[in-house]
Amino acid sequence: MKSIDSKGHVTGKSVYLDDIPVRQNTLYAAVLDATIAHGEILSLDISEAEKYPGVAGIFTYKDIPGENQIGSIVPDETLLAEDEVIFQGEPVALVVAGSEAIAREARKKIKISYKELEVITDPRIAAGKGLLLQPPRTFAMGHPEIRWNDCKHIFSGSTEIGGQEHLYIETQGAYCFPMENNNLMVYSSTQSPTVVQRAIAKILGLSMHNVQVDVTRLGGAFGGKEDQATAWACLASLASYLLQKPVKLVLSRHDDLRMTGKRHPYSSDFKIGLSEELKILAYEVTYFQNAGAVNDLSPAISDRTLFHTTNAYFIPDVKATLYSCKTNLPPNTAFRGFGGPQGMFSIESAIALAAKELGIPAGIIQEKNLLKENDRFYYGQKATQVNIRKSWKTAFREFKISQKQKEIEAFNRKHKLIKKGLALMPVTFGISFTATMLNQARALVHVYTDGSVGISTGVIEMGQGVNTKLVQVASQTFGIDSRRIKIESTNTTRVANTSPTAASTGADLNGQALMIACKAIVQRLKKVAAELSDVKAGEIKFRDEQIIAGGEATGIPWEELITEAYSRRINLSETGHYSTPIIHFDSKKGKGHPFAYHVYGTAVLTTKVDCLRGTYEMEEVEIIHDFGNSMNPVIDTGQAEGAVVQGIGYVTMEELAYDKSGRLLSNSLSTYKVPDIYSTPKVLVVKALKAAGHKQALLKSKAVGEPPLMYGLGAYFAIQNAVRAFNPGFDTFDAPFTPEKVLMALYGKVKVNGDKNS
Ligand code: LUZ
Ligand code: MOS
């Protein structure tokens, strides 16, 4: 089925937050943010700004009627700074005026003076000073410290991997207006309506039932609106509540780039040990996560890094330790993959280093160590229905990888100044929120008397096509045409206590809740249909908009059935609640069965490097991906293609630069480069692995949002292999591999791994 949004999107009729028609007397807000990354606020003078014509109010933390606190996992994040600022871009005051332009002008009239304090942006320096947001966290299996004795080959090194800007097309924003009796209506561009609702209630000293949050759709999010949509909704609500007027706050692109957190940069040390037969026997890794100034979602992201430390491999003795380091950067946050990519980059770097030292292609080591059925992940879960080897083998066959490798070797022998490189990237990604509690969802279904259907769930449509999947579920379960089905906005008064739409679980959790609700209505309708057609309820089915009795079409249409059910006073509405079975995790021990299932796949990536300029092109990216039994191949393939390009951008051109004062230098789209149509691979093929799917996946169709992003990591290693064909000594692991860094790698002093200052 085609996306139900495609027509609205291409005709420009789809409504995003900024398109919601505003009410009379709407005011507009702009945020004044800290211009230094660490300091005491000595004085804050708003008097001149207050007098600026058209200004309706200026608010600081002193105006907050409830608690100045929006931390979602740990209460360590103020909405508005009090006496100290801890990152550049931290909100300090809110200016509200008759127009956006006035608010932004008046903002400049606020005078603020600071006493500057030491700024730390490097996670290793932070760790050295004991600046940690959480105690160090270790997951382990076996005893690598003993196992080194059995290893024939041991290699160690370090990796750096940068952050990533989400660059959702729609910037952060919220629109709020007061309702009677102190209630508030809030439109928010959030992945987490309930997180927003809870935070607003806390800020204003209200109860959650006073705050109604509504979301129609987002113009992209990628994790950037899982936790970081909250502040803007709280600020707009604060002004709206205090002024009793509608208030809109939409960040400009520059404000958004400067004030919001990104994917976490990591700096890591690894040690890998292999047997004579190239089995990885032991692996140890220490991660220094650059978390920024407050926790945000970092504790959960840390967990996912630890879960994906061994990627697609079985390693018997593993120990991984993570330091979540407090720096003076905007709080880094969720981003598609959620710490997984950084963990996988380390193990892939370790394998790449071993391969280089042993003079063999990395693929040989990768293949020998891929997970097998019933292997145990080092966090305790047994791997079942493992498709990684199957995807690897299929990729070799379908994409003629051995032949490609030979062609590249021949090409490199022939060409002096152009070199090609190839890398394989197997991916294994766990599906479920790592916080078991969040793996639940609800749906509300109404069948109206004319046979049309309205559906509410807790899921957020952000371009991933989840609403189309919901239509498919309802249409299949009721046996009716998709045109009868409407997906309502996501609203906290219709579906409460929503989990964020995140962790690739949106369709699985909400789709299964929806199916439960639809099935309950179907059960009731079957009794009515049985009486109408004189067979037992067990022999009734609904298909093609009519009652099928004992396998025969009755000609009794859906509408008639509904009219009859209503006249018999049968309940035509239902809620469904789904919670993922089986999963559990003991976070103290670091053991359990945290994931409903895993998604598997293998990518092969080739690149061509211009060894004069350091520029490169991704030539072919070909993927065998485990979609399970895809319920919507067009949508799922689109998700996979978008994700892999985003992953390639992450390790190639997307470079966040901060200066020593903690200022974001890459603070505009002229200095932060993301993949465009010219930099996407010339050939991009995503083929579905023939697979049965998993019974915990919605209609056996596996979650698809995040896993394919990690194929993109292979771009780093493909470029590295091309560079090595020119400069064999090169073995640094420092992503993103921008053309500038490629040029240095081609000609600069050959870096020795672990020598970070050269
Ligand atoms: N968000 C979250 C996520 O809160 N928990 C998770 O486990 C997760 N995983 C991936 C992406 N977002
Ligand atoms: Mo997420 S990284 O909000 O699934």
Side-chain angles (χ1 to χ4, degrees), residues 226 304 338 432-434 438 502-503 706:
E226 181 174 344
R304 198 172 271 281
F338 206 71
S432 287
F433 285 96
T434 59
L438 294 174
E706 297 171 285

Side-chain angles (χ1 to χ4, degrees), residues 138-151 154 271 273 280-285 314-320 378 591:
T138 298
F139 281 17
M141 176 167 78
H143 298 278
E145 66 280 7
I146 301 172
R147 208 61 197 277
W148 302 123
N149 300 322
D150 302 337
C151 296
I154 296 175
K271 185 171 172 189
I280 304 173
L281 299 180
Y283 180 60
E284 259 188 52
V285 59
F314 174 71
I315 306 176
D317 292 80
V318 185
K319 185 174 165 202
Y378 84 121
K591 297 282 182 207

Side-chain angles (χ1 to χ4, degrees), residues 33-64:
D33 59 307
T35 50
I36 65 166
H38 193 195
E40 274 171 45
I41 299 179
L42 298 176
S43 67
L44 179 69
D45 177 5
I46 59 173
S47 56
E48 220 179 294
E50 267 181 323
K51 283 185 239 140
Y52 195 87
V55 168
I58 295 181
F59 304 101
T60 67
Y61 77 93
K62 291 182 181 145
D63 300 300
I64 292 173

Side-chain angles (χ1 to χ4, degrees), residues 191 222-224 226 334-338 501-504 706:
Q191 291 171 248
F222 309 113
E226 181 174 344
F335 196 136
R336 207 173 192 175
F338 206 71
T501 297
S504 307
E706 297 171 285

